[in-house]
Amino acid sequence: MFTREESKEIRKQFWIFFGKRYPRKWMLYNTGVKDLNLKFDFDNDKALVSIDSESRDEIDRTYYFDKILSLKNLLLDEVSQNIIFDSNYILESGKLISRAYIKLEGVNIHNKNHWPQVFEFMFENMDKLEIFYLEYQDFIKS
């Protein structure tokens, strides 16, 4: 087990190494839609790449997630057949969001032997998700 400080340092190292391996500016929060974000996540049992509708206003959250759902077949074809669509995803913080995500299970941020696999997973899937978003952003934003 790791202390809280050790765990924090390992997480920090992961993101530094990821940034050095793939030195580019990711879209992430710059989607042009408030509370619609592309995200990376990596914890003790999984890694995720996602597009999240995070508004606390249920109408706004649902509106943008429905836009994503209307593009479901295109997302599956252009990004990954493994995308999971969850209109009621609960974050560890307890916040309710809507999320379309690709998950890599059986990896742990504290195991540096998993990092190369996660680097590839994150880069490949976020790259495809960004390209997809840029292609359909006018529709999503409207």
Side-chain angles (χ1 to χ4, degrees), residues 50-117:
S50 65
I51 183 164
D52 297 348
S53 183
E54 300 186 67
S55 179
R56 294 193 187 277
D57 181 319
E58 184 179 354
I59 293 170
D60 284 346
R61 181 174 51 84
T62 303
Y63 176 78
Y64 287 108
F65 193 67
D66 285 347
K67 291 277 195 160
I68 301 299
L69 281 176
S70 71
L71 299 169
K72 181 178 181 175
N73 290 334
L74 292 168
L75 264 166
L76 292 168
D77 289 343
E78 296 178 22
V79 179
S80 172
Q81 289 292 312
N82 299 317
I83 294 181
I84 300 164
F85 298 87
D86 190 342
S87 60
N88 294 301
Y89 190 97
I90 307 216
L91 298 174
E92 284 184 23
S93 66
K95 182 178 180 181
L96 176 66
I97 68 169
S98 296
R99 173 176 271 180
Y101 63 100
I102 306 133
K103 178 168 49 172
L104 176 64
E105 295 183 289
V107 292
N108 185 321
I109 196 163
H110 296 106
N111 184 339
K112 292 183 180 181
N113 292 326
H114 293 169
W115 289 11
Q117 178 185 9

Side-chain angles (χ1 to χ4, degrees), residues 27 38 51 67-80 83 85 100 125-140:
M27 179 182 293
L38 304 179
I51 183 164
K67 291 277 195 160
I68 301 299
L69 281 176
S70 71
L71 299 169
K72 181 178 181 175
N73 290 334
L74 292 168
L75 264 166
L76 292 168
D77 289 343
E78 296 178 22
V79 179
S80 172
I83 294 181
F85 298 87
N125 288 292
M126 183 58 81
D127 189 54
K128 289 178 185 177
L129 193 57
E130 279 191 351
I131 290 168
F132 178 86
Y133 185 81
L134 291 169
E135 178 73 24
Y136 299 101
Q137 70 180 331
D138 291 340
F139 169 76
I140 294 169

